[in-house]
Amino acid sequence: KALPELACFDASGRESLYHVYLSPSQAAEGANWEPRAGIVLETRERLDSQMENLAQMREIWTRATNVFGRSVVPRIFDGIHHHGPSQNYTARYLAHFPVGAEADYAFATISENASFLLVDGRPVAEWPGWHDVHGGLRGEHHGTVRLKPGIHSLEYFRVQASLNSVAEVAWRLPGKERFELMTAQAFAPVAVFRPVDWAAAAAS
């Protein structure tokens, strides 16, 4: 069995050396841990269903057990499927971003087909149903939320069912008139480490 291409782990302890253990055993403790930095994209096979509200999106996501892949991406600005050739998939981006001052922040979804955006678990913007990207290029589908200083989570669901793939999250900062792309610098940074050595586990 091939080794995973990417391993995510908590480095908040700021140690100089980490030991990472890879095991074929099922569901080790903490297997559902979610990172608190960067953007993690997961794609799954799309199941046929209505996509008219967030509840339907969540239900489809939960039932879709065929996972195409999971990876760290720099921003939510995609026109491709990162994990394969299929154009029938659902995607979930889990991101974390810092803000320095308490204020109202607006977020917009720009997508081909249904998309739903949540901040700190609260629905903020949505564009349900089957549609092309026109009608949303200027942030028409947006919402506003008041945020306090600190790290906040952003969860973004979208559905893909055509050759034209568009997924973008934009925001309007306090005092700004227009929406702009959330660049890689807008998100909490992710450290990249290179392994310096490895060893096979002792036979049990």
Side-chain angles (χ1 to χ4, degrees):
K1 211 170 184 180
L3 292 176
E5 296 180 3
L6 177 70
C8 295
F9 61 95
D10 188 352
S12 59
R14 300 182 183 276
E15 300 293 338
S16 60
L17 178 67
Y18 292 89
H19 297 276
V20 179
Y21 297 90
L22 304 178
S23 170
S25 61
Q26 297 293 320
E29 182 180 355
N32 293 323
W33 168 79
E34 296 283 6
R36 292 279 301 164
I39 309 169
V40 176
L41 165 65
E42 181 175 331
T43 59
R44 302 180 182 182
E45 182 179 14
R46 182 182 67 83
L47 304 179
D48 289 330
S49 178
Q50 296 296 316
M51 295 291 175
E52 298 302 325
N53 54 59
L54 178 60
Q56 290 176 345
M57 178 73 250
R58 285 192 182 279
E59 193 267 339
I60 288 300
W61 179 257
T62 301
R63 287 201 297 113
T65 56
N66 184 13
V67 177
F68 288 130
R70 201 175 195 220
S71 58
V72 175
V73 295
R75 58 191 177 274
I76 307 174
F77 184 67
D78 281 332
I80 62 170
H81 183 193
H82 286 259
H83 305 130
S86 175
Q87 295 302 315
N88 287 288
Y89 63 91
T90 56
R92 173 186 180 249
Y93 299 79
L94 179 62
H96 290 84
F97 64 96
V99 299
E102 181 172 355
D104 291 332
Y105 295 79
F107 295 84
T109 174
I110 302 167
S111 66
E112 183 91 8
N113 300 319
S115 58
F116 303 88
L117 187 154
L118 301 89
V119 174
D120 294 335
R122 294 174 291 175
V124 173
E126 65 176 36
W127 193 359
W130 305 105
H131 53 76
D132 61 24
V133 71
H134 302 290
L137 293 173
R138 293 180 175 83
E140 290 89 340
H141 302 275
H142 70 270
T144 303
V145 61
R146 189 161 191 86
L147 299 178
K148 295 183 177 181
I151 299 290
H152 298 271
S153 67
L154 187 152
E155 193 174 17
Y156 184 60
F157 291 97
R158 65 174 295 265
V159 179
Q160 182 60 36
S162 65
L163 293 176
N164 298 321
S165 178
V166 178
E168 179 181 345
V169 169
W171 66 346
R172 187 174 61 213
L173 297 172
K176 299 289 186 179
E177 294 184 359
R178 297 181 180 180
F179 284 94
E180 59 187 40
L181 172 70
M182 291 188 77
T183 65
Q185 291 71 33
F187 297 95
V190 173
V192 177
F193 298 88
R194 303 269 181 218
V196 296
D197 196 9
W198 68 277
S204 57

